[in-house]
Amino acid sequence: MRRVVPVVFKAACPDCRGRFELAANALRLAIGGSSRTTFYSFTCPECGTAVRKPAGERIVQLLSGAGVRTLRLHSTVRAGAGTV
């Protein structure tokens, strides 16, 4: 039987400047339609601040591959719908 090692990620808080490690279940990943709407977030374990950071393609791959909860954001604008 193969032993599974839990994945941890190094993170930092921009408010208190704390540095720490977080398990995959402490992070959340949101994938939007653009780089502006794709981010990961977590709550700082030292000061309690909600932290949100942009996630590029590589970060998305790492986080989703490690089992981080992922939310796919959809646009509310439908194709073909608009003013003429």
Side-chain angles (χ1 to χ4, degrees):
M1 185 171 194
R2 199 166 88 186
R3 183 177 164 205
V4 177
V5 177
V7 176
V8 292
F9 296 94
K10 291 183 180 186
C13 176
D15 282 3
C16 73
R17 302 214 185 268
R19 296 189 174 278
F20 38 82
E21 291 184 344
L22 296 172
N25 65 357
L27 296 155
R28 292 158 306 282
L29 174 63
I31 301 174
S34 71
S35 60
R36 292 187 64 198
T37 58
T38 300
F39 60 90
Y40 67 98
S41 62
F42 58 89
T43 301
C44 175
E46 295 185 14
C47 71
T49 298
V51 178
R52 177 176 162 166
K53 295 189 174 187
E57 187 176 320
R58 179 76 177 132
I59 297 295
V60 169
Q61 289 174 351
L62 289 171
L63 295 178
S64 59
V68 170
R69 288 175 291 174
T70 303
L71 173 65
R72 295 197 181 272
L73 306 175
H74 297 282
S75 173
T76 57
V77 179
R78 290 179 13 211
T83 56
V84 178

